[in-house]
Amino acid sequence: MSTMNPKASSGGEEKASGMRSKTLGETVCSGKVERGQAILVAYLIATLELTFLFMQMGVMPYLAKSLGLDSVGLGYLQTTFGVLQLVGGPIFGRFADQFGAQAALILSCASGSAFFLLMSISTSIPLLFLSRLPAVFMHGIPGAQKLITDLTTPSQRTDALGKLGLCFGIGIIIGSALGGVLSTKFGIFVPAYVGLVGNLINTMIAMVCIPLQAKPKSDHHVTEHSTSQSGNMFSIREILRLMKFPGVMEVFIVKVFAGLPVGLFLIMFSIIAMDFFGLEAVESGYLMSYFGVLQMVVQGLVTGKLTNHCTERTLLRLSVFIFAGVGLGMALMRTVWHYCIVAVPMVFAFGTLGTITDSILTKAVPSSDTGTMLGICASVQPLTQTVGPTIGGVLYKQFGVSSFGYLQLIVNIGLFVYLLKSKIPLREMKSQ
């Protein structure tokens, strides 16, 4: 009968245990690398989509004018785009929850391809309006946000979402410049051709480089409050149910109203730049580039650092307080140089408020509903674009530029007092 050596047995167990630990460590490390690569791909897709979007925004007034569309018609065209994005945001979010971040990004990029294809053949005003139709599903930023929320922990989320501001800044700078150069040197439809090819490439990147199922397996449970796996994707009732979660309605109200007066001002800025500041088209372009650089610095670098030292509650209050100061500065500004100074805290408050509220709201709902929540958040800007021309036009004509500043000051003082007195349930955590 053979006997087993106790030392040999112990050594074998230790060796096996060490191999298991090594394998587990390699698996965890590999998972982190893959998640990091997927997030970088999401940043790339968002940057390219925003670049093409800002490229067409700069060219659109000239294309519309060449087809015989006047300024009123151009306003209707912009409103059509805003309404489609407003309606499509929550539906896109529901789609992302049900089919995943990869499918959502593919849908957004494919819609962008259809958008630029129709724009490239818009030889009449009806075709130009028809080209806006795919905008209902053009939501690259919410798609990227969905992927990021799936692949990051709650403590990492604010920093990762904030870096999308870097993509936004790059898109503004490159897109605005590229649209002008291409349309001037090669023709008014060339930016549409570039946008079409670029979005097709973006679609292929999303298909190949984004994981089919980004969300960790532990998050695939469906809570009793989850709406993503039940009901119709187009159900308004299911979408609005998310507003009943603790703190969601309160934070969403702050998100909508804190930046609304500034949003109205920015909608009217092309007119204000000419009439109030006396800027030429080239100078307005430089100002847009300045905004892009500020956006890159603030959201790409500053916001992430702040999340390491401050809680989300503190940053939410800080951004609203700064927004109030921005209102005072806007009410008192008289020259474009004053505006350049006011723009620094304005961009900071805009970027911080948007990132912090997105992070708070996605943590407040079940993980299976984050896409829908991000879709609702994405509807805030189109809402401003829809009502902005009417309300902003009345404010500017009746009360002047300073009215935007005073309205911003009053609204944000009220919101700041509300945030100080209310007890909105937030997860008080900092990034690690």
Side-chain angles (χ1 to χ4, degrees):
M1 183 173 68
S2 64
T3 59
M4 183 177 292
N5 188 334
K7 290 183 178 180
S9 175
S10 176
E13 291 176 358
E14 289 178 2
K15 184 177 180 180
S17 177
M19 291 178 66
R20 284 195 299 269
S21 298
K22 183 179 179 181
T23 303
L24 180 61
E26 289 176 350
T27 302
V28 172
C29 182
S30 175
K32 288 182 178 178
V33 171
E34 289 177 1
R35 288 196 296 270
Q37 289 175 344
I39 290 174
L40 288 176
V41 172
Y43 289 147
L44 173 63
I45 291 173
T47 301
L48 291 174
E49 185 159 322
L50 286 166
T51 299
F52 301 137
L53 187 62
F54 280 107
M55 183 175 65
Q56 70 86 27
M57 285 174 64
V59 174
M60 184 52 60
Y62 301 97
L63 176 58
K65 186 177 180 180
S66 69
L67 296 176
L69 200 64
D70 58 13
S71 58
V72 176
L74 181 60
Y76 289 144
L77 189 68
Q78 293 171 333
T79 301
T80 301
F81 184 86
V83 170
L84 288 169
Q85 291 250 295
L86 176 64
V87 172
I91 298 172
F92 179 87
R94 289 274 289 170
F95 178 89
D97 282 332
Q98 292 194 3
F99 298 100
Q102 186 202 45
L105 284 169
I106 291 173
L107 174 63
S108 177
C109 297
S111 299
S113 300
F115 176 89
F116 282 103
L117 175 62
L118 290 171
M119 181 178 166
S120 68
I121 59 173
S122 295
T123 54
S124 64
I125 293 176
L127 274 176
L128 189 62
F129 274 88
L130 183 64
S131 71
R132 309 293 96 179
L133 193 58
V136 71
F137 292 126
M138 285 173 58
H139 295 280
I141 288 292
Q145 288 175 326
K146 169 63 177 172
L147 182 69
I148 290 169
T149 56
D150 285 350
L151 295 179
T152 56
T153 62
S155 61
Q156 299 169 332
R157 188 170 300 169
T158 306
D159 185 22
L161 290 175
K163 286 184 171 60
L164 281 171
L166 191 64
C167 306
F168 198 87
I170 294 172
I172 291 177
I173 295 171
I174 298 179
S176 301
L178 191 61
V181 171
L182 291 175
S183 61
T184 302
K185 291 191 174 183
F186 303 103
I188 196 70
F189 286 105
V190 171
Y193 301 146
V194 173
L196 171 60
V197 174
N199 273 279
L200 289 173
I201 294 173
N202 242 1
T203 305
M204 295 301 297
I205 292 174
M207 293 174 67
V208 174
C209 300
I210 298 295
L212 183 62
Q213 187 52 261
K215 188 173 292 187
K217 290 182 180 180
S218 60
D219 286 346
H220 282 289
H221 65 279
V222 180
T223 68
E224 60 179 341
H225 297 293
S226 175
T227 65
S228 66
Q229 305 298 326
S230 62
N232 187 351
M233 187 170 69
F234 300 95
S235 172
I236 301 298
R237 183 179 64 84
E238 293 293 338
I239 293 172
L240 294 179
R241 276 187 61 193
L242 295 183
M243 290 296 169
K244 297 179 181 179
F245 284 92
V248 170
M249 180 61 78
E250 294 90 337
V251 174
F252 188 73
I253 288 173
V254 173
K255 182 181 183 69
V256 171
F257 288 101
L260 181 60
V262 169
L264 298 176
F265 171 83
L266 293 176
I267 291 292
M268 299 298 299
F269 185 73
S270 58
I271 297 174
I272 293 172
M274 291 187 292
D275 296 346
F276 187 76
F277 293 128
L279 299 182
E280 299 291 337
V282 176
E283 294 168 329
S284 295
Y286 292 150
L287 201 57
M288 285 293 292
S289 298
Y290 171 67
F291 266 98
V293 172
L294 285 179
Q295 185 90 18
M296 290 169 58
V297 172
V298 170
Q299 282 199 257
L301 302 175
V302 177
T303 303
K305 298 293 183 182
L306 284 176
T307 58
N308 294 327
H309 305 286
C310 305
T311 62
E312 291 176 336
R313 186 187 301 274
T314 301
L315 290 176
L316 182 61
R317 290 172 176 171
L318 176 65
S319 58
V320 171
F321 179 76
I322 292 176
F323 251 148
V326 168
L328 181 61
M330 289 174 61
L332 299 177
M333 69 180 179
R334 294 293 178 268
T335 68
V336 69
W337 296 110
H338 294 161
Y339 181 57
C340 287
I341 296 171
V342 172
V344 177
M346 179 192 295
V347 171
F348 172 81
F350 246 131
T352 304
L353 182 77
T355 302
I356 293 299
T357 51
D358 286 348
S359 178
I360 291 171
L361 290 170
T362 53
K363 294 173 188 175
V365 300
S367 61
S368 54
D369 286 319
T370 53
T372 305
M373 191 71 253
L374 288 167
I376 295 172
C377 292
S379 297
V380 174
Q381 185 176 354
L383 175 63
T384 305
Q385 291 175 341
T386 302
V387 303
T390 302
I391 300 176
V394 171
L395 284 174
Y396 179 57
K397 290 181 180 179
Q398 298 295 326
F399 306 103
V401 172
S402 61
S403 62
F404 295 100
Y406 287 122
L407 183 60
Q408 178 75 14
L409 175 63
I410 293 169
V411 168
N412 280 274
I413 287 177
L415 290 175
F416 184 70
V417 173
Y418 170 71
L419 287 174
L420 287 178
K421 292 188 174 183
S422 66
K423 295 182 179 180
I424 301 174
L426 302 179
R427 295 185 183 182
E428 295 291 340
M429 57 175 61
K430 305 171 188 177
S431 298
Q432 300 298 321

